[in-house]
Amino acid sequence: MNKTVSQDDQLIEEDRPLYVAHKRVYPQSVRGTFRTIKWRLMVVCLGIYYLLPFVRWHRGLGAPDQAVLLDLPNRRFYFFFIELWPQELYYFTGLLVLAAIALFLMNALGGRIWCGYLCPQTAWTDLFYAVERWVEGDRRERLRAAARPMTMGRAAKRVLKHAVWLMIAWWTGGAWVLYFADAQTLVRDLATFQAPAIAYIWIGILTASTYLLAGYMREQVCVYMCPWPRIQAALTDEWALNVTYKYDRGEQRCSLKKSLDLRARGERVGDCIDCSQCAAVCPTGIDIRNGAQLGCIQCGLCIDACDAVMKKVGRKTRLIGYDNDINIRRRIDGKSELFKPVRPRTIVYASLIAVVCAVMLYALLSRTLLDLSVLHDRNPVAVKLSDGSIRNGYTVRLLNKRGFDRVVAIDIDGPPEASVHVVGVDSVTVDRPMIVLARDATTELRVLVTAPDNDKSERSMLVRFRVTDIGLGEVASATDHFVLP
């Protein structure tokens, strides 16, 4: 069948822009279950972020007493009773893996829970919106003001709003740098302009980024910049619960007065009265009634708005709620709703989280605070002495993770009748040198192992270096090879 296109239709198609122009979003305030959850989570999360650097944790004489500290100059990370060294980077890898799997599990259970409730962009944007409503009023007042010429009163409100935004953004950037130095000392140095320049630079960078992202870009970060909406769309399945408009109840939608007239005549109409409150409260400016969309962050504010309207008109709540298309089709077919939070996908994710947690916990509980690494000389590999014995040289690195000095003894197991000598260290006995390890430090030694050339059959023998703490009895070991020339 041939389809004819008129000249006017062709002009319309040619003039249609490729991208829709961005429209400023003016979300309306709302009260309800999900709004309360978001407020409480925001207070908890931001409270932890802003106040945690000031929490103290005693670690002994000479050790920092800040509970959470990333000490880059000394290459240490402190988290309450845990102290991590650069050699233990695998713990951070485990945390990243754990966070990714937890994100997948949240998506499988309730869609974009992270985006709607826990994401930093969401938390700070909510805070900036609250300031905007406090200064300039709610949605209607801001819409009316935007349509009118600028006045002195409106300009004063705008200056106040941006001043409060900048204060929040400045404290956000300032709180971040407090995790990298002693918070109390750094605050005093910042106030007296004695802090290092790098601190002021990073505070400026983070202040500007917070101000721009939460104050101006807002929903554009979620729609255009963030990769998670596109990733989670590929990870979700048909059983995942998402904020959904239940069109089986809502359609056909019409105004309240018209719906009452149609119902009085016995005609079927939906519960949706087309008030558009769900779209008015949406922080990304979408209409959830149009189905699943990339811009929906699953915050649940539209649920609160719709429930409030349903209560006023005397209809059942949760016309918008956490649901899926399977249940919508089941209700249309007259079947009961079915939810499957426990299914192979969620079991796999939960099992992976348990395994990663178990491995990290075991590694943390079983780790030693005395470490040893050995590196054999490359050139020459072995030296034959004048008496016919063979000598191999090694670079031995000892790591004392405790907060006090300790004395250790070095032993070897390997070539028969072998002796060990630490260059530059006077040992009590040649067979077992004693070394003093400084607290919370790494000590590098030059170790020489000498053995008679008795066995001609093997050109390389395994040698084990063993370090024993004389006082505590802690032992660390490492293996290498003793090579014959």
Short mmCIF file of all heavy atoms in Angstrom, two decimals, residues 177-178 181 185-201 203:
data_model
loop_
_atom_site.label_atom_id
_atom_site.label_comp_id
_atom_site.label_asym_id
_atom_site.label_seq_id
_atom_site.Cartn_x
_atom_site.Cartn_y
_atom_site.Cartn_z
N VAL A 177 38.23 17.02 52.40
CA VAL A 177 39.67 17.08 52.65
C VAL A 177 39.99 16.71 54.09
O VAL A 177 41.14 16.34 54.40
CB VAL A 177 40.23 18.48 52.32
CG1 VAL A 177 39.98 18.84 50.88
CG2 VAL A 177 39.66 19.54 53.26
N LEU A 178 39.00 16.76 55.00
CA LEU A 178 39.26 16.39 56.38
C LEU A 178 39.53 14.91 56.55
O LEU A 178 40.07 14.49 57.59
CB LEU A 178 38.06 16.79 57.27
CG LEU A 178 37.74 18.29 57.35
CD1 LEU A 178 36.58 18.52 58.29
CD2 LEU A 178 38.96 19.08 57.78
N ALA A 181 43.63 14.36 56.47
CA ALA A 181 44.52 14.94 57.49
C ALA A 181 43.74 15.00 58.79
O ALA A 181 42.52 14.79 58.81
CB ALA A 181 44.99 16.34 57.08
N THR A 185 43.03 19.68 63.51
CA THR A 185 44.18 20.51 63.17
C THR A 185 43.98 21.23 61.84
O THR A 185 44.28 22.43 61.71
CB THR A 185 45.45 19.65 63.09
OG1 THR A 185 45.63 18.95 64.33
CG2 THR A 185 46.67 20.50 62.80
N LEU A 186 43.43 20.51 60.85
CA LEU A 186 43.24 21.12 59.53
C LEU A 186 42.20 22.22 59.57
O LEU A 186 42.36 23.25 58.89
CB LEU A 186 42.84 20.04 58.52
CG LEU A 186 42.71 20.50 57.07
CD1 LEU A 186 44.01 21.15 56.59
CD2 LEU A 186 42.34 19.34 56.16
N VAL A 187 41.14 22.04 60.34
CA VAL A 187 40.13 23.11 60.45
C VAL A 187 40.75 24.37 61.03
O VAL A 187 40.50 25.49 60.56
CB VAL A 187 38.94 22.62 61.32
CG1 VAL A 187 38.05 23.79 61.70
CG2 VAL A 187 38.13 21.58 60.57
N ARG A 188 41.58 24.19 62.06
CA ARG A 188 42.25 25.36 62.65
C ARG A 188 43.20 26.01 61.66
O ARG A 188 43.25 27.24 61.54
CB ARG A 188 43.01 24.92 63.91
CG ARG A 188 43.69 26.07 64.65
CD ARG A 188 44.27 25.62 65.98
NE ARG A 188 45.27 24.57 65.81
CZ ARG A 188 45.09 23.31 66.16
NH1 ARG A 188 43.92 22.93 66.68
NH2 ARG A 188 46.05 22.41 66.00
N ASP A 189 43.94 25.21 60.91
CA ASP A 189 44.87 25.76 59.92
C ASP A 189 44.12 26.46 58.78
O ASP A 189 44.57 27.49 58.27
CB ASP A 189 45.75 24.66 59.37
CG ASP A 189 46.73 24.11 60.40
OD1 ASP A 189 46.93 24.80 61.43
OD2 ASP A 189 47.27 23.01 60.20
N LEU A 190 43.00 25.88 58.37
CA LEU A 190 42.21 26.52 57.33
C LEU A 190 41.67 27.87 57.78
O LEU A 190 41.65 28.84 57.02
CB LEU A 190 41.05 25.60 56.90
CG LEU A 190 41.42 24.35 56.10
CD1 LEU A 190 40.22 23.42 55.98
CD2 LEU A 190 41.93 24.72 54.71
N ALA A 191 41.22 27.92 59.03
CA ALA A 191 40.65 29.17 59.55
C ALA A 191 41.71 30.25 59.70
O ALA A 191 41.40 31.45 59.56
CB ALA A 191 39.96 28.91 60.89
N THR A 192 42.94 29.87 59.98
CA THR A 192 44.03 30.84 60.15
C THR A 192 44.88 30.98 58.89
O THR A 192 45.95 31.61 58.94
CB THR A 192 44.92 30.42 61.33
OG1 THR A 192 45.42 29.09 61.10
CG2 THR A 192 44.13 30.45 62.63
N PHE A 193 44.43 30.38 57.80
CA PHE A 193 45.12 30.46 56.51
C PHE A 193 46.55 29.92 56.58
O PHE A 193 47.45 30.44 55.93
CB PHE A 193 45.13 31.91 56.00
CG PHE A 193 43.76 32.48 55.79
CD1 PHE A 193 43.20 33.32 56.74
CD2 PHE A 193 43.02 32.16 54.66
CE1 PHE A 193 41.92 33.85 56.57
CE2 PHE A 193 41.74 32.67 54.48
CZ PHE A 193 41.19 33.52 55.44
N GLN A 194 46.73 28.86 57.35
CA GLN A 194 48.03 28.22 57.45
C GLN A 194 48.03 26.82 56.86
O GLN A 194 49.05 26.13 56.93
CB GLN A 194 48.46 28.14 58.93
CG GLN A 194 48.66 29.50 59.58
CD GLN A 194 49.03 29.40 61.06
OE1 GLN A 194 49.08 28.30 61.61
NE2 GLN A 194 49.30 30.54 61.69
N ALA A 195 46.92 26.41 56.29
CA ALA A 195 46.82 25.08 55.68
C ALA A 195 47.60 25.05 54.38
O ALA A 195 47.84 26.10 53.74
CB ALA A 195 45.36 24.72 55.43
N PRO A 196 48.03 23.87 53.93
CA PRO A 196 48.75 23.79 52.65
C PRO A 196 47.86 24.22 51.49
O PRO A 196 46.62 24.09 51.54
CB PRO A 196 49.13 22.31 52.56
CG PRO A 196 48.22 21.61 53.50
CD PRO A 196 47.92 22.57 54.60
N ALA A 197 48.48 24.69 50.43
CA ALA A 197 47.73 25.21 49.28
C ALA A 197 46.86 24.14 48.63
O ALA A 197 45.76 24.43 48.14
CB ALA A 197 48.70 25.78 48.26
N ILE A 198 47.33 22.89 48.66
CA ILE A 198 46.57 21.82 48.02
C ILE A 198 45.21 21.63 48.69
O ILE A 198 44.23 21.26 48.03
CB ILE A 198 47.38 20.50 48.06
CG1 ILE A 198 46.73 19.43 47.17
CG2 ILE A 198 47.56 20.00 49.47
CD1 ILE A 198 46.73 19.76 45.71
N ALA A 199 45.12 21.92 49.99
CA ALA A 199 43.84 21.80 50.69
C ALA A 199 42.84 22.84 50.16
O ALA A 199 41.67 22.52 49.89
CB ALA A 199 44.04 21.97 52.19
N TYR A 200 43.30 24.07 49.99
CA TYR A 200 42.42 25.13 49.47
C TYR A 200 42.03 24.83 48.02
O TYR A 200 40.88 25.10 47.60
CB TYR A 200 43.11 26.48 49.57
CG TYR A 200 43.35 26.95 50.97
CD1 TYR A 200 44.62 26.87 51.54
CD2 TYR A 200 42.32 27.48 51.73
CE1 TYR A 200 44.85 27.30 52.83
CE2 TYR A 200 42.54 27.93 53.02
CZ TYR A 200 43.81 27.83 53.57
OH TYR A 200 44.02 28.25 54.86
N ILE A 201 42.95 24.29 47.26
CA ILE A 201 42.65 23.98 45.85
C ILE A 201 41.55 22.93 45.75
O ILE A 201 40.58 23.09 45.00
CB ILE A 201 43.93 23.51 45.13
CG1 ILE A 201 44.92 24.66 44.99
CG2 ILE A 201 43.58 22.94 43.75
CD1 ILE A 201 46.27 24.24 44.45
N ILE A 203 39.35 22.06 48.07
CA ILE A 203 38.09 22.60 48.59
C ILE A 203 37.40 23.43 47.52
O ILE A 203 36.18 23.35 47.32
CB ILE A 203 38.34 23.44 49.86
CG1 ILE A 203 38.76 22.52 51.02
CG2 ILE A 203 37.09 24.22 50.23
CD1 ILE A 203 39.13 23.26 52.28
#
